[in-house]
Amino acid sequence: MTFLEVTHLTKVFGGFHAVDDISFAIERGTINGVIGPNGAGKTTMFNLLTGYLRPSAGKIVFDGVDITGRRPNWLSQRGIARAFQITSVFPRLTVLESIECAVNAQKRLSGSLLFSRRRTARTEAAELIEAVGLTHVRDAPAMSLSHGDQRTLEVTLALAIQPHLLLLDEPTAGMSPWETEHMVELVCKLARSHGLTVLFCEHDMDVVFNISDRVIVLHQGRVIVDDEPGAVRGNEMVVRVYLGEKYV
Ligand SMILES: Nc1ncnc2c1ncn2[C@@H]1O[C@H](COP(=O)(O)OP(=O)(O)OP(=O)(O)O)[C@@H](O)[C@H]1O
Ligand SMILES: [Mg+2]
């Protein structure tokens, strides 16, 4: 069943079409990679999907509801989450405190306020920390974490609002091979165990081809290919504009 349907989505900046008439559909519970050269429009598309930019044209339907032009808060309340750079969000709070804040915010939004909210939120936060493998830095300030742990914390904060659709813009950027592997395992585990639908853009092609059910290729603001990883890898146009010979 189509979970997210994007039709003729367009974003024009002063006459320049950063996202140019994009259409695609993704299914519930799948992992979807978005690739393309620098400036292809990947981040702009993410900003449109999460309400940080308003489309110039086109339509976005999420779980049967037209969400075109909706603002970020409205979208996150309805289960669309994205990971943010933690250093600019809660730099001085510990990992536990940061996640507890996010869990509490979600409870406020969903109206499930209990008198034991604080204890419950803390317990939930601790469980989440264990699930994502951040127990070793539970009581450390967010800003003191290694780059890889910070990126994991960003994803965990997005997860604390119990999303249905998780958007990740280059989740493994700047990570070591070990950290990358951990992030990949985490995303796969969450998608499979929680039925989470994931849309991520990424420059690490090994990551993209290993974990994606589907890969969308953007070039100059347009979708040039949208297919299974094997087919994308062997597509002549994709090899020419982006992959080069290495991945054929
Ligand atoms: N606010 C803006 N105003 C004007 N032009 C913009 C704006 N945001 C993005 N662009 C332009 O739109 C194009 C797409 O940018 P975008 O950041 O979406 O690319 P990207 O695919 O995410 O690239 P990268 O791989 O480098 O992250 C670029 O040419 C960029 O300069
Ligand atoms: Mg980008």
Side-chain angles (χ1 to χ4, degrees), residues 154-233:
E154 289 159 20
V155 174
T156 313
L157 282 169
L159 290 171
I161 71 158
Q162 299 178 1
H164 301 296
L165 174 64
L166 178 63
L167 290 115
L168 304 170
D169 192 353
E170 300 196 39
T172 73
M175 283 187 167
S176 68
W178 183 86
E179 289 169 338
T180 298
E181 198 182 319
H182 176 72
M183 176 63 79
V184 163
E185 274 171 17
L186 175 62
V187 170
C188 289
K189 186 174 106 181
L190 290 164
R192 308 295 174 224
S193 63
H194 289 67
L196 194 63
T197 308
V198 180
L199 185 64
F200 75 107
C201 80
E202 181 59 64
H203 281 291
D204 184 328
M205 290 303 110
D206 290 328
V207 171
V208 172
F209 289 124
N210 281 336
I211 72 171
S212 306
D213 297 303
R214 206 163 182 85
V215 178
I216 297 166
V217 188
L218 291 188
H219 180 55
Q220 297 178 344
R222 290 179 166 258
V223 174
I224 58 166
V225 177
D226 172 5
D227 213 329
E228 289 170 4
V232 170
R233 213 175 184 142

Side-chain angles (χ1 to χ4, degrees), residues 57-72:
K59 191 167 149 185
I60 308 167
V61 176
F62 171 65
D63 206 9
V65 177
D66 185 345
I67 60 163
T68 318
R70 290 289 187 175
R71 301 209 173 264

Side-chain angles (χ1 to χ4, degrees), residues 13 16 18 36-45 170 203:
F13 294 115
F16 173 72
N38 294 115
K42 305 181 295 294
T43 299
T44 305
M45 184 186 87
E170 300 196 39
H203 281 291

Side-chain angles (χ1 to χ4, degrees), residues 35-37 205 209 215 217-219 224-225 229-248:
I35 62 172
M205 290 303 110
F209 289 124
V215 178
V217 188
L218 291 188
H219 180 55
I224 58 166
V225 177
V232 170
R233 213 175 184 142
N235 184 288
E236 207 181 301
M237 186 160 41
V238 179
V239 171
R240 198 172 62 241
V241 305
Y242 187 51
L243 293 180
E245 299 304 319
K246 186 182 163 206
Y247 287 93
V248 182

Side-chain angles (χ1 to χ4, degrees), residues 118-140:
R118 193 177 152 71
R119 194 195 65 77
T120 311
R122 181 150 291 207
T123 308
E124 273 179 40
E127 284 169 7
L128 206 46
I129 287 170
E130 204 180 326
V132 300
L134 283 179
T135 311
H136 62 293
V137 287
R138 203 181 103 134
D139 299 313

Side-chain angles (χ1 to χ4, degrees), residues 100-129:
E100 189 182 352
C101 269
V103 171
N104 263 326
Q106 162 61 17
K107 286 184 182 301
R108 252 191 312 276
L109 290 173
S110 65
S112 61
L113 282 171
L114 303 171
F115 73 96
S116 60
R117 185 182 84 202
R118 193 177 152 71
R119 194 195 65 77
T120 311
R122 181 150 291 207
T123 308
E124 273 179 40
E127 284 169 7
L128 206 46
I129 287 170

